[in-house]
């Protein structure tokens, strides 16, 4: 009686072990889903960085080619004025 049933029992045990490894073991489907989310997040981050790099390259090219960009930066960031110009600072009125 047991001689006829030991093959299906062994096969069921092997199937159970394979299913366990597929769903819960190392490199399982759960790990795959987590890595897929991580790759998507990293792709979005890389896209943002690429966009920032494109803007920085355009800014660098503008600074290399045109003097207007250099002058604008000097005025805005360093507060420089040209010779012969008069600087006026307008302060907002204080409300009591």
């Amino acid at each position: 009686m047991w001689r006829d049933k030991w093959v299906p029992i062994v096969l069921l045990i092997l199937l159970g072990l394979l299913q366990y490894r597929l769903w819960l073991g190392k490199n399982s489907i759960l790990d795959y889903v987590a890595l897929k989310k991580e790759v998507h997040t990293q792709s979005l981050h890389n896209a943002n960085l690429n966009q920032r790099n494109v803007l920085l390259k355009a800014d660098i090219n503008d600074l290399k080619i045109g003097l207007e960009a250099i002058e604008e930066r000097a005025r805005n960031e360093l507060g420089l004025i040209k010779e012969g110009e008069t600087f006026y600072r307008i302060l907002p009125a204080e409300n009591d």
Side-chain angles (χ1 to χ4, degrees):
M1 182 166 164
W2 283 102
R3 289 182 184 172
D4 296 337
K5 294 185 180 181
W6 71 273
V7 173
I9 291 173
V10 169
L11 290 176
L12 282 174
I13 290 172
L14 286 175
L15 180 66
L17 291 174
L18 288 174
Q19 286 293 313
Y20 172 79
R21 188 165 182 205
L22 175 69
W23 292 99
L24 302 172
K26 184 178 179 184
N27 298 328
S28 65
I29 291 178
L30 297 176
D31 291 340
Y32 169 75
V33 170
L35 281 175
K36 196 172 181 180
K37 284 182 184 178
E38 191 175 327
V39 166
H40 180 68
T41 303
Q42 189 65 43
S43 296
L44 292 176
H45 184 67
N46 288 348
N48 289 339
L49 290 176
N50 283 334
Q51 183 180 8
R52 188 189 73 170
N53 286 346
V54 167
L55 292 174
L56 287 174
K57 285 179 185 177
D59 204 19
I60 288 170
N61 286 336
D62 195 27
L63 288 173
K64 284 182 180 178
I65 294 172
L67 294 176
E68 294 87 20
I70 296 172
E71 183 178 332
E72 181 183 344
R73 282 205 170 198
R75 288 175 182 271
N76 290 335
E77 294 177 10
L78 302 174
L80 300 179
I81 57 172
K82 285 185 179 178
E83 217 173 288
E85 286 183 337
T86 305
F87 177 73
Y88 294 100
R89 179 178 292 181
I90 300 172
L91 299 175
E94 292 183 16
N95 294 332
D96 290 328

